[in-house]
Amino acid sequence: MHPEDLTNPQIPETERQRRIRAAEWAGWAIFFIGGFGTASWAPLIPVLRERLAIDDGTLGLLLFCVGCGSLVTLPFSGKAAALWGCRRVLVTAAIGFALILFGLSQVESLWLAAVLVLAFGACMGSIDTCINIQAVIIEQAARRLIMSRMQAFWSIGGFTGAGVSAIWMKGLGLSPTVSTLIASATMLLLLLMSYRYYLPYGGDGSGKLFALPRGVVILLGLVTLIAFLMEGAMMDWSGVFLTTARGFDLSLAGTAFAVFSAAMLVMRFTGDALIMRLGQRRVIYAGAVLAFIGFLAIIFAPQLPLLYAGFFLVGVGCANVVPVFYSMMGRQKVMPVNEAVPAVSTMGYLGVLMGPAFIGFIVQATSITSAFAFLASLLLVEIVLAYIIFRQQN
């Protein structure tokens, strides 16, 4: 047992609770850093397109490198956390995340940009894996639900990063270089303030370097894949739906995803208390029903307020799927946590990467309305998978 283990019986209870609170605060901080850095990357995309003089196809391949970089490191980050501890991996990945972000504001070569984008995605994947391993361990030690609020801080970081980037670049007229430098410095400052409270361990050091999901972990991964696919589809296709299927002005294209994201954020902030009051099953099943009603409103409602209500209900219904099933990874006995989290996260990233493209094929073959109907049908699959998982965990 690691001497700083939050469950170490030799630690007095008051000290143990103090360490848990400190680790929880540090968890909020690193989730925020991840979301903030991801959002700060978004304004650089059009800058890179113009500076490198590349077409949309090449830009798409460049953006695909982010996901590829994440997928490369996701399976190995769990083993790294078990061998060297979450703290070392998170600090290394977060420093790289911030420095590479600034490097992307300076790069002028396409090949160097591709390398940096791959490295940026690799750091993002390492952070994503280790923060969830850390969150599962803290939640087990605290003996209360914290996963939803942890996940909410990634969204807060994203909202903050997007907002301040707009203020710095559009409101204050700062150059992309200066704006990105401030963003990177902010991330490093927050890291400096919180790193000492990250868990210095992340498992017992056992387990495979690359572990395929098995048993109930496969089902957890499938549910996560569906949840991430939903989020990716909302991000990429909600604006297209408003402008093409409903004929609204292009200026409203981003509002649907904003409504969806706001609902996700609100529900993740309140999710832990809601789950403790209603239970995981009711939250998942009721959430799936609400999301299904939301999709019906999106598909059939012609008025904008009803469409917004639909996107809001989808966000409400989808918000706590990932936190609930990530929490369950701490209770399953099929795989060690440091193997299960990367395996499930990898399946989730496949949903993010491939889902929106698959929706695009459906749109091309049929219509965008049919694509949203397909998303609604996936909620039925989610309910069946959740039913099997809950039965197995009893």
Side-chain angles (χ1 to χ4, degrees):
M1 179 178 290
H2 195 281
E4 294 186 57
D5 193 327
L6 298 179
T7 59
N8 192 332
Q10 298 179 354
I11 301 175
E13 182 62 20
T14 54
E15 174 64 16
R16 193 180 73 86
Q17 290 299 326
R18 186 195 68 80
R19 292 186 182 184
I20 289 173
R21 287 193 296 271
E24 190 173 349
W25 176 86
W28 297 346
I30 190 62
F31 268 97
F32 182 93
I33 289 171
F36 187 87
T38 303
S40 299
W41 148 245
L44 293 178
I45 296 173
V47 174
L48 279 177
R49 186 185 187 281
E50 181 178 346
R51 180 185 298 156
L52 302 177
I54 55 179
D55 57 25
D56 290 336
T58 305
L59 179 63
L61 290 174
L62 192 63
L63 297 179
F64 188 66
C65 290
V66 177
C68 291
S70 295
L71 282 175
V72 168
T73 55
L74 276 170
F76 307 110
S77 298
K79 183 64 175 180
L83 290 175
W84 302 309
C86 288
R87 181 187 295 164
R88 289 183 181 177
V89 179
L90 282 173
V91 169
T92 302
I95 291 174
F97 199 50
L99 296 180
I100 294 167
L101 177 66
F102 179 69
L104 286 167
S105 71
Q106 303 294 302
V107 66
E108 296 183 355
S109 162
L110 177 59
W111 292 109
L112 181 56
V115 171
L116 288 178
V117 169
L118 277 168
F120 187 74
C123 291
M124 187 191 303
S126 294
I127 292 172
D128 188 45
T129 298
C130 290
I131 56 178
N132 282 299
I133 291 173
Q134 181 171 268
V136 169
I137 294 172
I138 297 170
E139 186 173 73
Q140 288 180 299
R143 301 188 186 96
R144 56 185 170 83
L145 297 175
I146 64 169
M147 190 65 70
S148 289
R149 181 162 292 191
M150 286 281 190
Q151 299 277 344
F153 271 88
W154 186 288
S155 300
I156 294 173
F159 275 111
T160 305
V164 297
S165 293
I167 292 172
W168 290 333
M169 295 177 68
K170 295 181 181 179
L172 300 179
L174 300 180
S175 67
T177 296
V178 175
S179 175
T180 308
L181 177 62
I182 297 173
S184 297
T186 301
M187 294 161 64
L188 292 173
L189 178 61
L190 190 54
L191 178 68
L192 182 64
M193 294 168 59
S194 59
Y195 82 93
R196 71 189 67 183
Y197 304 114
Y198 301 161
L199 298 185
Y201 57 95
D204 58 7
S206 64
K208 301 175 182 176
L209 184 64
F210 178 80
L212 292 174
R214 58 183 183 272
V216 72
V217 178
I218 296 176
L219 301 179
L220 292 171
L222 289 173
V223 172
T224 305
L225 186 150
I226 292 173
F228 278 43
L229 189 153
M230 292 274 187
E231 293 183 35
M234 287 294 108
M235 180 171 62
D236 290 356
W237 290 101
S238 59
V240 178
F241 184 90
L242 284 185
T243 56
T244 59
R246 292 293 178 264
F248 291 106
D249 189 78
L250 282 173
S251 62
L252 297 175
T255 57
F257 183 66
V259 170
F260 171 83
S261 299
M264 292 273 289
L265 178 57
V266 170
M267 291 307 297
R268 283 187 172 170
F269 247 118
T270 59
D272 294 326
L274 191 66
I275 294 167
M276 284 189 282
R277 174 182 284 271
L278 300 178
Q280 292 178 323
R281 294 190 187 205
R282 290 180 180 176
V283 168
I284 292 298
Y285 295 152
V289 171
L290 288 175
F292 190 82
I293 294 172
F295 274 115
L296 291 179
I298 292 170
I299 292 168
F300 294 108
Q303 294 87 10
L304 190 59
L306 290 176
L307 286 168
Y308 283 157
F311 283 108
F312 189 84
L313 284 177
V314 173
V316 168
C318 294
N320 287 303
V321 173
V322 172
V324 163
F325 290 109
Y326 265 66
S327 291
M328 294 185 74
M329 276 190 283
R331 298 195 297 273
Q332 57 81 30
K333 306 300 182 183
V334 177
M335 298 175 68
V337 170
N338 61 285
E339 288 184 4
V341 170
V344 170
S345 296
T346 301
M347 294 180 71
Y349 263 79
L350 287 174
V352 172
L353 285 175
M354 302 180 65
F358 183 70
I359 297 300
F361 291 133
I362 297 177
V363 172
Q364 188 174 13
T366 55
S367 68
I368 193 167
T369 302
S370 299
F372 272 69
F374 169 75
L375 292 174
S377 70
L378 287 180
L379 292 167
L380 303 177
V381 179
E382 178 187 299
I383 290 175
V384 172
L385 291 171
Y387 176 77
I388 298 171
I389 292 169
F390 287 131
R391 284 198 62 181
Q392 290 190 10
Q393 293 299 97
N394 282 342

